[in-house]
Amino acid sequence: MNLALYIHWPFCLSKCPYCDFNSHVRDRIDQAGFARALLAELAWEAARLGTRRLTSIFFGGGTPSLMAPETVASLIEAARRHFAPADDIEITLEANPTSVEFARFALLREAGVNRLSLGVQALDDASLAALGRRHSAAEAVAALEVARSVFPRLSFDLIYARPEQTIAAWRAELRTALALAADHLSLYQLTIEPGTGFEALHRSGALVLPDEETAAALYDATGQEAGRVGLHGYEISNYAVPGGEGRHNLAYWQYADYAGIGPGAHGRVSVGGELLATRRHRAPEIWAERVARDGHGITHEEAVPVLERAREALIMGLRLAVGVDAAYFAARTGVALDEAVDAEILAASVEAGYVRRTATHLMATESGRRRLDALLPRLVK
Ligand SMILES: C[S@@+](CC[C@H](N)C(=O)[O-])C[C@H]1O[C@@H](n2cnc3c(N)ncnc32)[C@H](O)[C@@H]1O
Ligand code: SF4
């Protein structure tokens, strides 16, 4: 069975006020200690998973471009040794566009990274400052240029639906971004996450998001602009040229097996006929202690019951433009696709033009994907 591997690096130079990822700021990081712990946890996970075909590795964060390139190299080397790497294995690393980091791109490429995902977030300095970023737009563009010359594949992230952003301003910014794009872009609507600095500002009224109508218009404009240059929206927030889709994230949305190592990482792995949901300790230092003690930092692990598998597979799969393949769904979850959805809501959603059911697939239409958060709790049993 195919496997995707996620490796979490939990440190950043500073905490961005919108972000609730498991990221931490430290004066000093024990690079060698964390490298050892990640390697140990990888070996532990590999021992129980066996020699799977490894289709992707994803270094996410936090800011994995702050990892020592030797650590990245040794993790890739170990993963290749433990598993059976596909010939076209995709190895992605998330990077921030500060100069410290882009000086390392060539070393990361040498380590085996073949796809970079750069957190650009915005292309004007005022917005970058408002987002609490430590880089300028010019630095981001310079990082993109270096990355394009170093990596065979490149994606970058932008955040839109920012306070006071107009549709015209976003179209202009996006056109600039699209001119710099390679095979992939992730375009996220700003969300207010619990416990973040933005949440406090939002609650006090100091940060106002675009209203629903404007947000929907921004989403539509995003798809139109990306489509004009041949990037298709294959997932709610992800746009690629045909063949440029991120294979690692596709594994999540297709509900395939993925192992997650490092602090706070999640996994869904088939072991002994069961699908296990795994979660690691979020605090980096405690996670590392657990790995030293037990060989892994797992705090929660349970078999996903059949109906829950069906729910998860639908929630993930309907994010994709191609939707959910009924035959694959039944084989993966043990539930027939039509039994996992509420028949009445399905009929009404088809009627309203939000969902389509073909002979082989169930998919959300473009307007359905725009309102997926509202639709899913009613549609999925
Ligand atoms: C783990 S971060 C990326 C890696 C890197 N540390 C960086 O910031 O460039 C993943 C991406 O999620 C997006 N993101 C994080 N919080 C978000 C939020 N509240 N709303 C929208 N997008 C968000 C950002 O675009 C970010 O690049
Ligand atoms: S957005 Fe990236 S750099 Fe900012 S805190 Fe989150 S993970 Fe760290």
Side-chain angles (χ1 to χ4, degrees), residues 224-243:
Q224 286 159 11
E225 294 294 336
R228 277 160 43 123
V229 298
L231 290 164
H232 70 107
Y234 68 100
E235 192 268 347
I236 292 177
S237 308
N238 286 278
Y239 300 79
V241 299

Side-chain angles (χ1 to χ4, degrees), residues 322-343:
V322 293
V324 178
D325 179 322
Y328 170 81
F329 181 90
R332 176 71 172 158
T333 66
V335 181
L337 180 55
D338 293 304
E339 279 174 15
V341 291
D342 182 304

Side-chain angles (χ1 to χ4, degrees), residues 9 11-25 61-64 94 96 119 121 131-133 159:
W9 185 257
F11 302 113
C12 293
L13 291 177
S14 57
K15 185 79 190 172
C16 306
Y18 53 85
C19 176
D20 76 339
F21 282 75
N22 186 29
S23 62
H24 306 263
V25 179
T63 306
E94 285 182 336
N96 281 29
Q121 320 308 1
L131 289 169
R133 301 292 290 181
I159 297 179

